[in-house]
Amino acid sequence: MARLPVRDDLVAVEPYGAPQLDVPVRLNVNETPWPPPASFTEHLAKRVAALEMHRYPDRRAWALRLALAGRFGLPPEQVWAANGSNEVLAQLFQAYGGPGRRMLTFRPTYSMYPEIARTTATGHVEGDLDEDFRLTAAIATEAVTRFDPDLVVLASPNNPTGLSVPPAVVRAVHQAGRALVVVDEAYMEFADAASTASATSLIGDCERVVVVRTFSKAWRMAGVRLGYLLGPDWVVDDLRKVRLPYHLDVMTQEAGLVAVDLAAEVTAHIPTIVAERDRMRRALTDLGVHVFASDANFLLLRTEVDDLFDRLLARGVLVRDFSRHPRLAGCLRVTVGTPEENDAFLTATKESLDV
Ligand code: PMP
């Protein structure tokens, strides 16, 4: 029996995803190394036991949106939730991308943006971050003027490079064109609140700015698949046109509610991760490794050692290899783990550089 060929534009595509290898130290996908606290799992178990699983979930996820809205001082009509921030992003592309429309990103950035653009038949145009991987208002304005995009996606802090986009630059992107400006703040909770502002402060003021966040990183719930959007109510109304009915299951909604209830405990580890990030940066610099500044729970490093990724893996440490990505020759990204995992990574790096 002859197969049905896949869509022409998917023939040469490799499924996206980092290797899931069973090694002692896994620092490659920016998870939090500790599970949520026992208080969270105990509450959740009780609440799951009381759920009506024979019924469809609340299609609007209203209780969860209300709880999230409360954290940001927004009405629930300005909050949307889906299965991970990747699904929120995919829904934004379904609603505002598509044939004849284009998205602008700045290299290097998160590799899923072009993947989602392709599956939604959205065009992709690119500008470049500056030499230190910063986005300046001048770079952003020039690219928006040149490309006239429908969507601009900015990761802040950026993955894999680590720095945030100042709200003034987001505002400049918004002013320069007519695009929906999507600020992906997957890692914002790790940034220093005193020096780094979230684009949430622009919501309302800039009518086409939306912020996307996730429970996968600082909320240590990557296995739950929950992300959300904050933005104008008309965006939320448009997303409701493309979502599948009952897209967010009862258990995910409940997990989000319990996490928001216990927010302080669930996110209590963040200062430890930040302190470890800064310790790792100093230790790597002492080893002569170039490390980029980071507001996130990972560090991007550059060395001359071609096969550092393999040398680390041989020592049981898995990081993310970016060395073959545009503008990232010689670069690896390491997630901040437990102090023990970070020590193992530092020791493995030292040994690998000494070889
Ligand atoms: N945005 C960025 C910048 C990311 O790095 C990731 C995860 N790697 C995501 C979004 C997606 O995360 P999730 O779907 O787990 O919320």
Side-chain angles (χ1 to χ4, degrees):
M1 223 186 347
R3 294 183 182 192
L4 178 67
V6 74
R7 252 164 54 177
D8 290 350
D9 61 328
L10 296 179
V11 171
V13 168
E14 285 297 322
Y16 177 81
Q20 293 193 302
L21 302 180
D22 193 10
V23 296
V25 181
R26 287 182 294 170
L27 302 175
N28 69 331
V29 285
N30 302 338
E31 299 152 327
T32 286
W34 299 283
S39 56
F40 170 83
T41 31
E42 282 158 16
H43 272 77
L44 183 58
K46 278 194 205 124
R47 302 260 291 257
V48 167
L51 288 175
E52 293 195 316
M53 293 208 198
H54 57 301
R55 301 289 185 195
Y56 280 113
D58 174 10
R59 214 168 29 216
R60 299 176 312 158
W62 193 250
L64 175 61
R65 286 166 58 198
L66 205 66
L68 288 168
R71 287 186 62 79
F72 292 92
L74 290 169
E77 290 83 359
Q78 291 192 239
V79 179
W80 177 248
N83 295 280
S85 51
N86 276 335
E87 188 179 58
V88 177
L89 291 166
Q91 291 172 335
L92 284 166
F93 278 71
Q94 286 178 291
Y96 300 109
R101 295 196 173 196
R102 58 189 166 272
M103 150 190 86
L104 169 66
T105 58
F106 294 88
R107 292 193 301 182
T109 191
Y110 183 40
S111 332
M112 267 310 287
Y113 305 144
E115 301 280 331
I116 300 172
R118 192 190 47 238
T119 51
T120 55
T122 309
H124 181 205
V125 290
E126 282 181 297
D128 276 298
L129 299 177
D130 77 4
E131 269 171 31
D132 299 323
F133 297 140
R134 281 176 207 277
L135 183 63
T136 62
I139 290 176
T141 306
E142 188 280 322
V144 172
T145 310
R146 179 153 50 106
F147 292 118
D148 186 29
D150 301 278
L151 284 160
V152 181
V153 187
L154 309 172
S156 176
N158 189 38
N159 176 13
T161 56
L163 285 180
S164 309
V165 182
V169 176
V170 177
R171 187 185 286 278
V173 172
H174 181 259
Q175 299 308 105
R178 57 183 180 82
L180 184 75
V181 185
V182 179
V183 187
D184 178 352
E185 295 191 340
Y187 302 96
M188 185 49 87
E189 294 92 339
F190 297 107
D192 176 5
S195 58
T196 313
S198 159
T200 49
S201 60
L202 301 177
I203 292 170
D205 194 11
C206 299
E207 68 266 12
R208 284 171 283 100
V209 168
V210 300
V211 173
V212 179
R213 290 208 171 185
T214 182
F215 280 77
S216 297
K217 312 295 181 183
W219 290 72
R220 24 179 170 172
M221 287 160 57
V224 171
R225 310 305 303 133
L226 180 60
Y228 59 100
L229 168 139
L230 309 165
D233 53 6
W234 55 266
V235 171
V236 173
D237 288 342
D238 290 340
L239 294 184
R240 290 173 53 224
K241 298 178 185 179
V242 297
R243 60 107 182 92
L244 296 173
Y246 315 113
H247 69 291
L248 202 59
D249 72 76
V250 276
M251 289 190 285
T252 303
Q253 294 191 30
E254 210 60 35
L257 279 168
V258 173
V260 173
D261 272 357
L262 301 176
E265 288 163 66
V266 174
T267 60
H269 62 286
I270 292 176
T272 310
I273 293 290
V274 170
E276 279 294 296
R277 173 188 76 205
D278 297 343
R279 176 177 79 92
M280 283 166 86
R281 183 156 189 235
R282 285 191 301 274
L284 285 164
T285 308
D286 288 348
L287 291 177
V289 174
H290 181 77
V291 191
F292 293 87
S294 172
D295 295 322
N297 67 335
F298 55 80
L299 291 167
L300 185 74
L301 41 123
R302 176 171 267 157
T303 70
E304 308 271 280
V305 183
D306 254 7
D307 60 346
L308 183 56
F309 175 84
D310 295 319
R311 294 187 194 190
L312 293 173
L313 192 55
R315 291 169 173 81
V317 179
L318 178 62
V319 298
R320 192 71 173 266
D321 187 7
F322 281 94
S323 58
R324 275 168 286 281
H325 286 233
R327 300 195 63 196
L328 295 174
C331 287
L332 301 180
R333 188 195 67 198
V334 59
T335 306
V336 179
T338 63
E340 297 72 31
E341 288 171 331
N342 301 335
D343 283 341
F345 161 76
L346 290 168
T347 305
T349 303
K350 186 172 188 315
E351 288 171 12
S352 302
L353 296 176
D354 285 346
V355 172

